[in-house]
Amino acid sequence: MTTRQYDSTVRQGMSLKDISGIDTVKEEMLELISYLKDFDKYNSMGARIPAGVLLCGPPGTGKTLLARCVAGEAGVPFFSCAGTEFMEMFVGVGAARIRNLFDQAKKVAPCIIFIDEFDAVGTKRSETGQGQVYGNDEATATINQMLTEMDGFSTATGIMILAATNRPQVLDPALIRAGRFDRVIEMGLPNKKSRQEILFLHCNKPTFAGNIDPNLDYEYIARQCAGFSGADIENLTKSAVMRVAQAERGLASTGDFLWCIDDIRRSQSFVRNGSG
Ligand code: ATP
């Protein structure tokens, strides 16, 4: 079995400014960021932070982006992987991969390990096996290794795990016990105010800013795109800019955004129902 070398580059230039519409979540993150920045000081004072933070929410709500921004803001190495990487056919392989990941992280701590699709590795042990591509023993070994690594945190290793899932209800309760993932953060679909803030952020990125009408009606557009995730809003901005670029005309206007909202809704409804 080859040992994967994780890229743990510090996310230079990324900060909490790169994510918007989630003010309360950002506030919660400040404590963790300050701990990571001043790990030695806090550690010598005996301060402990949650070993794991679970980010729950539908696709495209910024869970991955938040993890990257927290790492960038704290200036610490960032290990990124997906829970599916630990699902294997042979017993012990997933557990060995988890050990390898944590071994690498310990060498550069303080750092963040981000595990996307965490439910793939953390599903309730009694519910794994049936109809799944990997055996129950393998799933149990993998999750037990995860628990072992997290319990090692009582010695304050400076590793913070941010795990993301769309299905928190299927997670093994042992994981959410105190001292493991004892902080759970809801990343729901944005409300109108948040959609407006996310839209503003994307429209004012250097890549788009020069192509968008400075009098864009952010409030009206945000009202019209109820149910959109942050990722949908980013897609909307790109589509509106593309629309005017293809037509070789000026700046993307409120009307272009509204046209694209309808277009995105039509595609989403086609994917869901097979008709527009
Ligand atoms: P998944 O569950 O599918 O992995 P996710 O919740 O991890 O989704 P991200 O990958 O973080 O979602 O979001 C995709 C993109 O959507 C981001 O790179 C960003 O451009 C945009 N986005 C999502 N939420 C926000 C937000 N709150 N502020 C700014 N941009 C956002």
Side-chain angles (χ1 to χ4, degrees):
M1 180 186 41
T2 51
T3 305
R4 176 177 162 192
Q5 213 39 52
Y6 287 90
D7 171 19
S8 61
T9 324
V10 178
R11 306 279 145 158
Q12 300 284 4
M14 284 208 83
S15 74
L16 288 181
K17 286 200 192 75
D18 296 305
I19 187 160
S20 61
I22 53 158
D23 290 349
T24 25
V25 173
K26 280 192 194 180
E27 263 165 43
E28 276 208 57
M29 290 292 153
L30 289 178
E31 181 201 347
L32 309 181
I33 290 167
S34 132
Y35 178 89
L36 287 168
K37 269 185 172 163
D38 268 323
F39 171 66
D40 288 335
K41 184 182 98 186
Y42 283 103
N43 203 25
S44 66
M45 287 160 49
R48 297 286 179 264
I49 45 146
V53 177
L54 191 62
L55 306 172
C56 307
T61 47
K63 301 182 292 296
T64 309
L65 178 62
L66 176 69
R68 289 207 188 102
C69 292
V70 168
E73 185 84 40
V76 297
F78 181 75
F79 292 81
S80 177
C81 56
T84 44
E85 291 174 37
F86 306 108
M87 284 165 61
E88 279 299 329
M89 190 88 81
F90 300 105
V91 178
V93 176
R97 287 192 182 149
I98 290 197
R99 232 179 355 257
N100 167 41
L101 169 65
F102 278 82
D103 285 348
Q104 289 182 41
K106 277 171 206 158
K107 288 186 189 138
V108 296
C111 64
I112 287 180
I113 294 180
F114 174 66
I115 308 178
D116 203 1
E117 303 169 73
F118 187 63
D119 40 281
V121 66
T123 302
K124 286 176 198 142
R125 280 163 288 184
S126 56
E127 289 185 10
T128 52
Q130 287 190 343
Q132 301 219 5
V133 289
Y134 64 110
N136 209 2
D137 290 349
E138 163 61 358
T140 303
T142 305
I143 198 166
N144 282 343
Q145 187 61 40
M146 186 80 207
L147 296 173
T148 305
E149 296 290 351
M150 294 195 82
D151 287 347
F153 283 13
S154 53
T155 52
T157 52
I159 300 174
M160 187 185 297
I161 305 177
L162 297 183
T165 181
N166 305 328
R167 304 189 306 147
Q169 68 284 0
V170 305
L171 292 179
D172 196 300
L175 280 169
I176 317 183
R177 214 203 62 190
R180 293 170 184 161
F181 284 99
D182 48 8
R183 194 169 292 187
V184 178
I185 292 186
E186 233 358 271
M187 304 274 289
L189 285 173
N191 61 20
K192 198 204 87 183
K193 178 173 170 287
S194 298
R195 291 196 299 275
Q196 187 171 336
E197 288 168 9
I198 298 171
L199 181 67
F200 187 84
L201 180 95
H202 284 287
C203 288
N204 286 283
K205 283 189 171 172
T207 20
F208 298 136
N211 301 306
I212 291 175
D213 180 354
N215 295 316
L216 200 73
D217 192 341
Y218 291 100
E219 199 268 331
Y220 188 67
I221 297 169
R223 198 165 346 131
Q224 296 307 310
C225 62
F228 275 30
S229 65
D232 293 330
I233 295 170
E234 182 193 24
N235 180 25
L236 169 65
T237 311
K238 280 186 190 155
S239 304
V241 169
M242 279 295 288
R243 181 173 151 80
V244 289
Q246 276 162 359
E248 293 185 22
R249 61 182 167 78
L251 305 172
S253 65
T254 302
D256 291 310
F257 276 79
L258 297 181
W259 190 92
C260 291
I261 290 174
D262 282 346
D263 195 45
I264 292 170
R265 285 206 197 282
R266 264 195 303 276
S267 327
Q268 288 177 341
S269 134
F270 182 78
V271 171
R272 272 196 296 269
N273 313 322
S275 70

